[in-house]
Amino acid sequence: MEKIIDVGTYIETGINSLEQNFSFLWTAIDDGISWLVDNMNHLFLLFPPWLVVLLVAVLAYYLKAGKNRFNKQGLKSAIGLSFFIILGFSFIFLLGYWKEAVQTTTLVLVSTFIALLFGIPFGILTAKSKIADALIRPVLDLMQTMPAFVYLIPAIFFFSVGNSPGVIATVIFALPPAVRLTSLGIRNVPAETIEAGYAFGATESQILYKIQLPLAMPTILAGVNQVILLALSMVVIASMVGAEGLGSVVYQGIQQNDIAKGFESGLSIVILAIILDRITQSIGSKK
Amino acid sequence: MENSVKTKIRVEELSLIFGKNKKLKEKALEMLKTGVSKAEILKSTKCTVGVNNVSFDVYEGEIFVVMGLSGSGKSTLIRCLNRLHRPTSGRVLVNDYDITKETNKELLQTRRTEMSMVFQSFGLLPHRNIIENAAFGLELRDEPLDSRLKKAQEALNTVGLQGYELKFPSELSGGMQQRVGLARALANDPEVLLMDESFSALDPLIKSDMQDELLQIQEKVKKTIVFITHDLDEAFKLGDRIAIMKDGVIEQIGTAEDIITTPASEYVEAFVEKVDRKTIITAGKLMFEKPTVIIYGKDGLEAALRKMRTVSVDVLPVVDKDRKFLGFLWLDDLVKNDKSQNHSLDAIIRTNVHSIHKEYTVEEMLPLITENKSPLAVVNQENGRLEGVVSQTSIIIESTRYDNKDIDKLKSQAKEFFKWKK
């Protein structure tokens, strides 16, 4: 069929000119992300695996048990998670994917950090301003529904191959729930509680920091949990542009038609996902 | 009200219109001033009239209740007092200072120091414990931590919540949560308390407790309280004066007794019809002032008889020369006495009768008239002088809402009944 309007070309021209005119910016972002990812990987791999696993297990216990961390009740509720973490990581270690698991975790954590860095302020903005909400909402829809492969192409264009385009693609895909749930949480704060704040002479920023954000926190944390899981679901796609980790092992499995490799790395991703999900959920459920 | 009381809040020709933009609101205001109905204003400008040209004064140290059904604009009105809503026109003077013209900074200061508000569904912060909630207002105005906690603790003691400081709001019952709301307001030590349907979300028994508690606290702290409610009984129980609102307009302002005895409009009349008048109407309202009296030591037997005939009653109060109340004199006794040729009144004045003060309510007077057939003498509490007389009939009329004819009918029925019994 004949093409009548040529949107693709316009976008291509636009992206080309962005690439050429702002190359310093892309380099800076690339360097920043690479630095963060490399150093975090380095830090995690510096210690022996058993120590890292133990630390994560203790951290998970600490978060999950909350106030009851030193009594029987806390032990009952949280020991299962710690046990699962030790078992799960041991399994990944025995499969020989410890290094890849660490790389994937780093990628997820860095992507989540960047997504929250932008997502939460935008969430606050959309909750407070109807105009901002009307403008940002369609952008979020676009970010979530546009097939991820589509923006992998410009990502390579800007950042070449490596961890950075993987992180950027992951951030784009995982950011929307951070905005949406922050916005939802703030809008669900009872009007009378906010009114009470104003009646006692609170300024706008006191309303935000002392009332809205604390009351919205459970919802925001649910958003964080969603961001992490979405980031994990992107690891395979990110590996196509050169991101390291379990995703790239799955990708190799596909390319080499290696069933064993594919399943081993896939199982490792599932275990990692469960662990990250349970840990972040236990932060959210704390009073 | 005496003239010496100070006006704390003065509201002058206050109107508030909800609408999309200023132009439409101004148009609506113009229409409102020329007497166009709310429905028509809504139709042509899409603006809702919240409060329509309301003026009133709130005196220092009183509980001023604004009563109205939902949609009457009462909650909107109270929010104009601390400018949570900005009035479209009119003035709100607090301590003679116009709040509608304050800058934002001044407004924050007013809200932080002069006025505190208590809400219907409490508006507490679920992530903070009770003492932190009570100290919230002080925290907002940047008081140092130790004085903040000290004042919050005092306020919690005032509302009877000592021992609960470290609990969280979700661990407390509704009544106790509202005590925290009240403590938060009191901790700021404001001059004015704004209470928006503060007890409406509580169940009836707790509500009644809280009302009593508020009255007790008010005895101690003597704040100026503006209280919003849709509950007439609550309004009458708490209010020194009451304003009744309908459709954004104040229909009547007055004491409970004023409103019941002289309702200003049919709406108010219909509204107060079902109220238990017995607890509100007082002897002062029911008594005949300046009744015919027999003056002891001056009027003799003949004079007493003559006086009774002229006003055609069979009982009159007896006072001394200083108008001090002594007792009642009955026609029957007089006639009997006349036959026995005894000319002194001393023996026949009945002195073991009840005397009451002006503040007695009908409810309190009822048992007195069933015990004793005589009318009730209303006596000045300080000097013992007779101020008036409350007849049995008027008490019965008040408590039963029968009119005179009904009572006569009942009386004759009773006579028949007793005849038949004999």
Side-chain angles (χ1 to χ4, degrees):
Chain A
M1 241 184 101
E2 199 195 344
K3 207 175 223 178
I4 297 171
I5 41 173
D6 202 358
V7 176
T9 318
Y10 305 143
I11 292 178
E12 199 183 326
T13 323
I15 285 177
N16 274 329
S17 89
L18 275 179
E19 201 271 324
Q20 280 152 14
N21 295 323
F22 294 95
S23 60
F24 64 94
L25 185 64
W26 315 128
T27 324
I29 293 174
D30 189 7
D31 289 350
I33 292 173
S34 299
W35 181 85
L36 209 57
V37 171
D38 290 346
N39 280 299
M40 260 181 91
N41 277 335
H42 193 69
L43 187 73
F44 278 126
L45 294 172
L46 200 68
F47 301 104
W50 61 266
L51 185 63
V52 177
V53 173
L54 210 64
L55 283 177
V56 175
V58 169
L59 177 77
Y61 177 83
Y62 187 80
L63 291 174
K64 174 116 189 189
K67 273 189 250 163
N68 297 321
R69 56 187 69 115
F70 296 118
N71 60 32
K72 227 176 180 179
Q73 205 189 335
L75 193 72
K76 220 172 170 181
S77 70
I79 198 70
L81 177 61
S82 304
F83 201 61
F84 180 78
I85 288 171
I86 293 169
L87 267 184
F89 277 138
S90 306
F91 182 65
I92 294 174
F93 179 78
L94 294 174
L95 287 173
Y97 291 130
W98 175 251
K99 190 180 158 209
E100 285 79 3
V102 167
Q103 287 169 335
T104 296
T105 311
T106 301
L107 224 57
V108 167
L109 291 183
V110 170
S111 308
T112 304
F113 173 73
I114 298 173
L116 296 180
L117 201 65
F118 290 97
I120 290 177
F122 274 113
I124 295 170
L125 191 67
T126 51
K128 297 232 161 188
S129 146
K130 272 188 183 163
I131 299 170
D133 188 44
L135 290 176
I136 291 172
R137 194 176 285 268
V139 178
L140 296 181
D141 293 336
L142 186 111
M143 287 159 77
Q144 274 190 311
T145 48
M146 178 73 82
F149 294 100
V150 176
Y151 47 77
L152 281 182
I153 312 164
I156 299 176
F157 209 62
F158 287 126
F159 305 108
S160 76
V161 182
N163 282 326
S164 299
V167 167
I168 293 296
T170 307
V171 168
I172 293 174
F173 184 68
L175 179 84
V179 181
R180 291 213 163 109
L181 285 162
T182 303
S183 178
L184 179 74
I186 288 180
R187 273 184 280 126
N188 279 354
V189 174
E192 216 180 46
T193 312
I194 294 174
E195 212 175 25
Y198 282 122
F200 281 92
T203 59
E204 290 292 334
S205 71
Q206 282 177 324
I207 294 278
L208 181 65
Y209 289 112
K210 289 183 191 285
I211 298 178
Q212 287 177 317
L213 283 180
L215 263 65
M217 201 42 84
T219 319
I220 295 175
L221 288 173
V224 174
N225 177 270
Q226 288 301 301
V227 170
I228 288 179
L229 291 186
L230 285 183
L232 248 178
S233 72
M234 274 292 283
V235 292
V236 178
I237 295 173
S239 72
M240 294 168 73
V241 291
E244 299 162 321
L246 292 168
S248 68
V249 183
V250 176
Y251 193 47
Q252 282 166 31
I254 298 169
Q255 286 174 326
Q256 298 160 6
N257 227 345
D258 188 338
I259 298 175
K261 209 174 200 176
F263 264 90
E264 281 173 0
S265 49
L267 263 179
S268 303
I269 291 179
V270 171
I271 292 169
L272 205 58
I274 294 175
I275 290 172
L276 285 174
D277 174 60
R278 298 301 186 271
I279 293 178
T280 47
Q281 259 185 15
S282 62
I283 304 173
S285 65
K286 236 185 7 172
K287 257 187 206 162
Chain B
M1 278 284 161
E2 301 138 45
N3 290 328
S4 60
V5 284
K6 231 181 97 191
T7 297
K8 192 84 195 169
I9 304 173
R10 163 164 287 170
V11 175
E12 287 175 352
E13 297 175 357
L14 183 86
S15 292
L16 188 134
I17 289 162
F18 295 108
K20 270 198 168 160
N21 60 48
K22 215 173 169 183
K23 224 174 166 184
L24 281 175
K25 282 202 252 180
E26 264 162 23
K27 194 179 158 200
L29 190 65
E30 281 310 307
M31 289 171 80
L32 195 64
K33 275 181 185 160
T34 53
V36 182
S37 77
K38 280 172 85 172
E40 271 186 45
I41 291 174
L42 180 66
K43 216 172 164 187
S44 64
T45 64
K46 300 246 164 63
C47 288
T48 321
V49 179
V51 176
N52 180 4
N53 198 21
V54 160
S55 302
F56 61 87
D57 286 351
V58 181
Y59 305 125
E60 188 160 30
E62 76 168 337
I63 301 184
F64 185 85
V65 176
V66 180
M67 217 282 323
L69 300 179
S70 55
S72 62
K74 56 191 191 305
S75 289
T76 314
L77 176 64
I78 199 175
R79 279 166 177 71
C80 289
L81 301 184
N82 60 357
R83 226 175 84 185
L84 284 176
H85 290 329
R86 194 168 199 153
T88 315
S89 76
R91 305 205 298 165
V92 177
L93 302 167
V94 178
N95 292 332
D96 296 324
Y97 199 78
D98 190 354
I99 260 194
T100 56
K101 301 218 164 46
E102 280 186 347
T103 62
N104 284 340
K105 214 174 165 189
E106 288 172 320
L107 183 65
L108 281 189
Q109 206 49 39
T110 306
R111 287 174 179 173
R112 285 175 178 183
T113 55
E114 283 174 38
M115 300 177 138
S116 290
M117 197 159 174
V118 184
F119 293 85
Q120 180 173 9
S121 31
F122 325 135
L124 300 177
L125 298 172
H127 63 290
R128 292 171 172 235
N129 61 30
I130 298 310
I131 194 156
E132 285 170 342
N133 263 294
F136 186 60
L138 301 165
E139 182 184 331
L140 289 179
R141 65 185 200 208
D142 296 324
E143 287 223 6
L145 186 68
D146 50 345
S147 92
R148 209 196 280 171
L149 291 180
K150 200 176 139 237
K151 287 180 183 174
Q153 184 65 55
E154 276 167 21
L156 286 177
N157 294 348
T158 307
V159 299
L161 275 184
Q162 52 272 66
Y164 290 91
E165 292 82 2
L166 300 180
K167 298 258 182 208
F168 282 86
S170 57
E171 297 171 285
L172 263 53
S173 69
M176 288 166 102
Q177 288 189 38
Q178 192 55 296
R179 280 165 202 261
V180 181
L182 189 57
R184 178 174 64 181
L186 289 173
N188 269 25
D189 196 27
E191 293 167 27
V192 178
L193 270 184
L194 304 174
M195 305 188 71
D196 180 25
E197 301 243 14
S198 297
F199 303 148
S200 300
L202 307 174
D203 48 38
L205 271 177
I206 302 205
K207 187 172 174 176
S208 170
D209 279 354
M210 287 297 286
Q211 290 163 352
D212 295 336
E213 183 109 14
L214 179 69
L215 289 172
Q216 272 176 29
I217 292 172
Q218 170 69 350
E219 285 284 304
K220 271 187 275 175
V221 297
K222 293 266 183 254
K223 304 285 182 199
T224 305
I225 300 179
V226 180
F227 194 101
I228 302 287
T229 182
H230 62 253
D231 177 351
L232 197 64
D233 292 328
E234 185 170 68
F236 284 157
K237 182 168 173 184
L238 296 176
D240 290 319
R241 288 187 310 138
I242 296 151
I244 295 192
M245 262 190 110
K246 183 202 172 197
D247 291 338
V249 179
I250 290 188
E251 296 264 318
Q252 186 173 9
I253 300 180
T255 62
E257 218 165 344
D258 288 343
I259 286 172
I260 286 191
T261 51
T262 49
S265 66
E266 274 175 27
Y267 178 77
V268 178
E269 201 173 344
F271 218 93
V272 297
E273 207 168 38
K274 290 185 201 89
V275 171
D276 187 7
R277 302 163 64 99
K278 289 204 290 292
T279 58
I280 292 157
I281 305 287
T282 59
K285 205 85 188 182
L286 283 185
M287 69 183 185
F288 300 111
E289 280 171 85
K290 297 181 192 146
T292 310
V293 288
I294 293 163
I295 299 165
Y296 181 78
K298 185 183 157 211
D299 292 334
L301 216 129
E302 295 294 323
L305 264 172
R306 202 172 50 243
K307 277 186 176 175
M308 282 188 190
R309 281 200 193 111
T310 38
V311 288
S312 65
V313 289
D314 49 9
V315 54
L316 279 179
V318 183
V319 296
D320 68 7
K321 278 174 184 151
D322 295 328
R323 275 190 78 83
K324 273 210 178 89
F325 175 69
L326 298 175
F328 280 105
L329 188 63
W330 289 78
L331 184 61
D332 289 355
D333 294 339
L334 261 181
V335 174
K336 269 185 232 156
N337 201 43
D338 204 22
K339 280 176 191 157
S340 65
Q341 297 295 316
N342 184 347
H343 285 269
S344 164
L345 292 176
D346 287 6
I348 54 169
I349 296 174
R350 297 196 192 177
T351 51
N352 67 336
V353 289
H354 292 286
S355 62
I356 57 174
H357 310 307
K358 268 183 168 174
E359 290 75 32
Y360 271 58
T361 61
V362 172
E363 197 171 40
E364 289 164 317
M365 289 189 281
L366 265 175
L368 303 182
I369 59 161
T370 48
E371 249 171 59
N372 197 315
K373 275 190 189 157
S374 76
L376 297 170
V378 182
V379 175
N380 187 306
Q381 213 159 346
E382 278 149 30
N383 53 27
R385 284 190 187 161
L386 183 73
E387 293 189 294
V389 172
V390 181
S391 76
Q392 287 168 294
T393 320
S394 54
I395 293 174
I396 292 166
I397 289 175
E398 247 341 296
S399 56
T400 56
R401 305 286 291 144
Y402 286 137
D403 61 16
N404 261 327
K405 258 188 209 162
D406 293 328
I407 302 254
D408 284 341
K409 211 168 138 196
L410 279 175
K411 269 187 184 166
S412 64
Q413 273 175 2
K415 268 181 198 159
E416 289 286 316
F417 178 75
F418 283 116
K419 246 188 234 162
W420 172 82
K421 223 180 166 187
K422 274 173 196 167

